[in-house]
Amino acid sequence: MTRPRASQSPDSTIVGVATGTPDGGVAIVRVSGPEARALVEPLVETLPSPRTLARRLLRDGEGAGDEALVAWMPGPRSFTGEDVIELHVHAGARNVGRIVSTLQQRGARAAGPGEFTRRAFEHGRLSLEQAEGIAALIAARTSAAIDQARRLVAGELGREVEALRTVVGDLRAEIEANLDFPEDVAAGDVRRWREELMQHEATARAWLRSFAAGQRARERARVVIAGPPNAGKSALFNALLGRSRAIVSPTPGTTRDYVEAELQLDSLEVVVVDTAGLRHATDDSIEHEGIGRSREQIAGAELVLWLEPADVDPLDAAVSEALRVESKRDLGTRRPDWLGVSVQTGEGLEGLRVEIARKLRGDESAPWIGLARHRDRASEAASAMASALAQLERAAPLELVAFELGVAERQLAEITGRDALGPVGEEVLGRIFSQFCIGK
Ligand SMILES: Nc1nc2c(ncn2[C@@H]2O[C@H](COP(=O)(O)OP(=O)(O)O)[C@@H](O)[C@H]2O)c(=O)[nH]1
Ligand SMILES: [Mg+2]
């Protein structure tokens, strides 16, 4: 078997199975490239009219043909921008394999991972971050991840990035227009440039915060319930899950190891962890071990719920940056400014769920997917804008300001990969598209 070449030969026609596994009812075989029509049409007698689905007998040899639905999408109005034919055939590895090898015998080359999507990018049908969104959508494990990836595919991030790149470019052009006569620049203009720059940098920084929130939303954040023994941690854990998963007992020190379970908070999926109660000294070595594990859990948590009961004096020791919760509110309160819950009466439980989700999402109502590549480029762009601002403030030569703005523009352009192949190197593209499965 010849391995598909990593780099593109734009003239070749490729074939791949576009559906995930061939054991469903239907598999879609996709052919893309200049020879698509010549390769496929003789097998189906005539292609249907463009962009309609029609039934055809697909003759892939001497024997009986397969009944297929055929879609013919002439370029450039197709997914890849090339001539594309999709054959919806009966699934089954053997059946599909026979059809694919017939197409290969007729001259199509087996598509490499992500090659259809890469062609779509190279023909300007998708920007780079949209293509990455497709990979992220296929890999999505949580519904928050699906939502974010779909927004990426829809081009929402790309539009924001392009908008910022345009205004940064306009600002650079305006500053460059003054390079020859910097002494004529009005103080009011410099002030306005500074204000605009601050605003642009803030836009990029806001994306970075949003990326971080998006990442938390995608990766099943760990929410750790901690506090002193007998605070009602296990009872709260069970109440959040809506089932009795951990042992609840009036004997302090009952929970000696941590217990975790998945919990869905509207579109967020989190892992809630019930831990052994924290106290300073204990003679019981198993309990001691449990406390060590609790501390590890706390250290690895995205969010800690620090629980103390209403019937015990405040301790509020161990954990900074925790969401402080007073448990057993049905027994009264000693911490009126904390979020109060009672497992007994159900008081405060819904409010707690809402608060957990809010904390994990951050203040962004709809965070961006924070692919590391986007985060790095946005971060470099923000830094370049910060340098430009610093140069302006120190009345440095305007060339230096313009130079930094040019750096910011190029970093932004790398996110979407606009300007054809522009600033995005072959190595970056190779890395991105090799993550796809074959047929995508
Ligand atoms: N009145 C009251 N008792 C509670 C509440 N939550 C837990 N308890 C009781 O407090 C004791 C310790 O609860 P548990 O969940 O095992 O505490 P943990 O050691 O922090 O895990 C048990 O007897 C529970 O029934 C509550 O909201 N109200
Ligand atoms: Mg417990």
Side-chain angles (χ1 to χ4, degrees):
M1 201 180 103
T2 52
R3 269 172 63 88
R5 268 173 299 163
S7 77
Q8 304 302 295
S9 41
D11 296 71
S12 61
T13 295
I14 51 174
V15 59
V17 185
T19 36
T21 49
D23 53 8
V26 171
I28 298 178
V29 176
R30 192 191 251 165
V31 182
S32 178
E35 298 301 315
R37 178 172 203 157
L39 289 180
V40 177
E41 192 157 40
L43 306 181
V44 296
E45 273 177 26
T46 56
L47 288 177
S49 42
R51 277 167 280 279
T52 57
L53 206 57
R55 211 173 116 197
R56 291 287 185 273
L57 195 63
L58 175 66
R59 294 203 171 275
D60 59 346
E62 297 298 306
D66 190 18
E67 285 207 49
L69 286 173
V70 180
W72 155 231
M73 289 150 292
R77 280 178 58 204
S78 68
F79 175 67
T80 58
E82 304 173 325
D83 284 356
V84 172
I85 295 170
E86 284 181 1
L87 304 166
H88 299 223
V89 301
H90 289 105
R94 297 293 169 116
N95 189 48
V96 174
R98 184 165 129 180
I99 293 165
V100 169
S101 65
T102 300
L103 290 162
Q104 285 179 267
Q105 280 154 22
R106 295 181 55 75
R109 172 168 71 68
E115 198 170 353
F116 291 97
T117 312
R118 179 164 180 161
R119 287 184 174 201
F121 166 66
E122 290 182 350
H123 291 118
R125 303 292 296 170
L126 282 177
S127 55
L128 198 50
E129 95 294 345
Q130 287 178 300
E132 290 170 296
I134 293 176
L137 183 55
I138 293 166
R141 290 260 180 281
T142 67
S143 47
I146 291 170
D147 287 338
Q148 292 173 41
R150 285 183 182 172
R151 292 174 62 212
L152 208 52
V153 175
E156 281 186 51
L157 177 65
R159 279 190 289 279
E160 287 209 25
V161 168
E162 286 300 305
L164 183 62
R165 183 165 76 113
T166 304
V167 291
V168 170
D170 291 347
L171 184 59
R172 180 178 50 79
E174 191 184 339
I175 291 173
E176 281 176 348
N178 288 283
L179 287 184
D180 292 338
F181 302 101
E183 58 285 355
D184 292 349
V185 175
D189 280 341
V190 176
R191 208 176 314 122
R192 180 170 52 78
W193 292 344
R194 278 180 43 197
E195 276 163 17
E196 286 182 17
L197 247 176
M198 275 192 250
Q199 209 184 319
H200 301 337
E201 189 200 343
T203 302
R205 300 259 177 231
W207 294 341
L208 292 174
R209 283 194 299 279
S210 178
F211 289 162
Q215 190 154 19
R216 284 196 295 278
R218 280 202 313 284
E219 289 178 356
R220 291 177 200 257
R222 295 181 74 80
V223 177
V224 171
I225 306 176
N230 239 359
K233 299 181 297 299
S234 298
L236 177 64
F237 175 80
N238 290 339
L240 286 173
L241 296 180
R243 63 196 153 94
S244 189
R245 172 80 178 73
I247 302 166
V248 174
S249 148
T251 313
T254 301
T255 310
R256 285 157 173 245
D257 197 355
Y258 68 88
V259 179
E260 62 178 59
E262 285 173 19
L263 172 65
Q264 181 91 30
L265 292 169
D266 53 271
S267 73
L268 272 187
E269 272 143 61
V270 302
V271 175
V272 205
V273 187
D274 179 29
T275 61
L278 292 182
R279 57 177 157 193
H280 296 300
T282 171
D283 297 334
D284 182 329
S285 68
I286 297 178
E287 193 186 350
H288 189 79
E289 174 71 23
I291 290 173
R293 289 178 182 220
S294 298
R295 295 207 179 277
E296 279 169 25
Q297 287 299 317
I298 289 170
E302 268 76 30
L303 178 65
V304 176
L305 304 187
W306 179 258
L307 210 61
E308 289 189 31
D311 58 342
V312 176
D313 284 337
L315 169 75
D316 190 17
V319 187
S320 60
E321 294 208 30
L323 175 57
R324 287 172 165 59
V325 180
E326 184 171 61
S327 53
K328 311 191 192 179
R329 265 282 164 91
D330 54 293
L331 301 179
T333 177
R334 292 172 200 239
R335 305 160 189 82
D337 50 328
W338 288 22
L339 207 74
V341 297
S342 165
V343 168
Q344 209 83 320
T345 64
E347 174 197 340
L349 288 177
E350 193 44 43
L352 179 61
R353 287 170 184 276
V354 170
E355 191 57 20
I356 294 171
R358 202 186 65 76
K359 286 259 183 201
L360 291 175
R361 285 217 178 87
D363 292 329
E364 312 305 324
S365 50
W368 291 114
I369 196 160
L371 297 180
R373 199 184 68 84
H374 306 160
R375 192 192 55 220
D376 293 348
R377 300 284 71 80
S379 163
E380 298 278 340
S383 305
M385 288 189 264
S387 311
L389 197 57
Q391 309 278 18
L392 257 187
E393 280 171 355
R394 126 160 65 86
L398 290 180
E399 281 90 341
L400 296 181
V401 180
F403 173 81
E404 293 293 354
L405 292 180
V407 172
E409 281 177 80
R410 279 193 300 283
Q411 292 293 331
L412 294 172
E414 281 203 27
I415 295 179
T416 58
R418 293 289 155 86
D419 294 340
L421 288 181
V424 185
E426 173 61 33
E427 191 210 319
V428 174
L429 294 180
R431 197 158 356 103
I432 291 172
F433 288 102
S434 65
Q435 292 164 10
F436 281 77
C437 31
I438 288 173
K440 294 295 175 297

